[in-house]
Amino acid sequence: MKQWMKKGLAACLALVMCLSLAACGGKEDETPAEEPVNVRVAALKGPTAMGMVKLMSDSESAEADTAGNTYEFTLAASADEVSPKLMQGELDIACVPANLASVLYNRTEGGIVTLAVNTLGVLYIVENGNAVASMADLAGKTIVASGKGSTPEYALRYLLTENGIDPDTGVTIDWKSEHSECVASLASGAATIAMLPQPFVTVAQTQLPDLRVALDLTEEWDALDNGSALLTGVVVARADFVKEHPAAVSDFLEQYSASVDWVNANTADAAELIGGYDIVDAAVAEKALPYCNIVCVTGTEMMDMLSGYLSVLWEQDAESVGGAMPNDDFYYGA
């Protein structure tokens, strides 16, 4: 009996030693946990920033569940303020027009990665009058617009062309530097027709009660049945940042997706936050949010949507996407 007990004790000791050694070996093979990082994020004052306000608000709380990461947000009036900082490494993540993401990818030779589609079609033709009921009715008219060189311009040119109007000779497009300038032109009477995105459509309608939505450009795009969808904005990141901080990128997307869901489900509360960040007035935001098409589409679905849209632009004008269609490494997680 004693001999059996000695053998049993020896076997138990041997097992404990093996388990201890295995545990030590496992620790040596484990990948070290990623250190928390300060993530520098930029968004444009519009739907892209509107979808991010819950994340912005939560990140200011010491109890925020951000995996230890901190966020530094910049709100810009136009993409021209964001692009140079992104390429120079002063930003890590940015919300930009969909076609600009491809332009930056080509310009940096693959230095930009797209993380998500964040805004579907939000462009509208508005009129202080009743002359426009179809795209064809825009022939010979003057349209004030903002967004030259990005999604608004290429979407408008494509839709005009597909409806038999030469965008260079068949219509006059008066380009402004910001959407607010278009609203000012309508308010002053200097213009009667404008292309505006939400929430600036609602902003204009608060100043001009008779201003009406003449055309929904998303519906006009869908009517062409070209196998693609009209997209407005995407979230991009520096490829180096994605490689160096994969956990931080994953956490950002999780937090951002949750923010988008919350904004879409809590219009009144979201509008208060939007007003608090001076993106647009809270009352305007509450009216506009249902029409802003704010989303967070990632992975393969994001790749399918964005590549289809960019293909349409590329066929129209290769320079609209930076001269070449991006490779698969442009699409994060696809």
Side-chain angles (χ1 to χ4, degrees), residues 4-327:
W4 178 87
M5 291 179 66
K6 286 181 180 180
K7 288 183 179 179
L9 180 59
C12 289
L13 288 172
L15 178 60
V16 169
M17 289 180 67
C18 287
L19 291 172
S20 298
L21 289 172
C24 292
K27 287 181 180 178
E28 289 177 3
D29 294 338
E30 285 177 3
T31 301
E34 185 177 308
E35 291 293 325
V37 62
N38 181 54
V39 187
R40 301 165 299 174
V41 185
L44 304 183
K45 286 192 173 184
T48 58
M50 292 164 75
M52 200 174 284
V53 290
K54 188 65 164 64
L55 170 56
M56 293 167 63
S57 177
D58 287 349
S59 69
E60 295 174 1
S61 170
E63 299 177 357
D65 182 19
T66 57
N69 300 310
T70 56
Y71 290 96
E72 180 182 331
F73 292 97
T74 299
L75 297 179
S78 72
D80 292 341
E81 300 175 41
V82 174
S83 298
K85 292 182 179 180
L86 187 64
M87 291 191 294
Q88 292 164 14
E90 296 176 26
L91 292 170
D92 304 310
I93 295 173
C95 301
V96 300
N99 78 295
L100 181 58
S102 179
V103 171
L104 294 176
Y105 170 86
N106 283 305
R107 194 173 294 171
T108 59
E109 299 182 345
I112 297 296
V113 175
T114 298
L115 304 180
V117 169
N118 63 6
T119 318
L120 304 180
V122 296
L123 292 171
Y124 300 85
I125 297 294
V126 295
E127 182 189 13
N128 201 6
N130 294 288
V132 178
S134 67
M135 289 297 298
D137 292 334
L138 292 172
K141 303 291 194 301
T142 296
I143 307 167
V144 293
S146 180
K148 185 172 177 59
S150 63
T151 296
E153 178 185 10
Y154 294 114
L156 179 58
R157 292 180 65 88
Y158 174 69
L159 289 170
L160 288 169
T161 301
E162 291 299 302
N163 284 275
I165 301 173
D166 187 322
D168 295 313
T169 62
V171 66
T172 299
I173 305 174
D174 182 7
W175 292 105
K176 306 296 185 182
S177 60
E178 296 181 14
H179 301 307
S180 57
E181 291 183 46
C182 300
V183 176
S185 292
L186 290 169
S188 69
T192 59
I193 300 173
M195 177 177 66
L196 288 172
Q198 285 287 9
F200 294 95
V201 171
T202 303
V203 170
Q205 288 177 322
T206 61
Q207 299 179 32
L208 297 165
D210 292 332
L211 190 71
R212 68 183 187 89
V213 173
L215 300 171
D216 179 339
L217 296 192
T218 299
E219 292 180 359
E220 298 298 324
W221 189 289
D222 291 344
L224 298 175
D225 195 22
N226 60 16
S228 71
L230 175 58
L231 306 181
T232 300
V234 297
V235 186
V236 300
R238 290 186 296 107
D240 288 344
F241 182 80
V242 173
K243 292 176 183 176
E244 293 167 10
H245 305 287
V249 172
S250 178
D251 181 68
F252 166 79
L253 283 174
E254 181 179 337
Q255 300 289 335
Y256 182 53
S257 179
S259 180
V260 168
D261 289 343
W262 183 87
V263 167
N264 285 328
N266 299 274
T267 303
D269 291 338
E272 288 300 317
L273 284 180
I274 290 165
Y277 283 108
D278 197 29
I279 297 170
V280 292
D281 181 77
V284 169
E286 187 169 0
K287 291 179 181 178
L289 272 170
Y291 308 101
C292 286
N293 289 329
I294 297 169
V295 297
C296 183
V297 181
T298 59
T300 302
E301 186 180 359
M302 173 265 292
M303 179 179 179
D304 291 343
M305 292 176 67
L306 183 54
S307 61
Y309 172 70
L310 294 177
S311 293
V312 169
L313 297 189
W314 180 76
E315 290 173 4
Q316 176 194 355
D317 180 359
E319 291 307 310
S320 67
V321 298
M325 286 290 291
N327 297 322

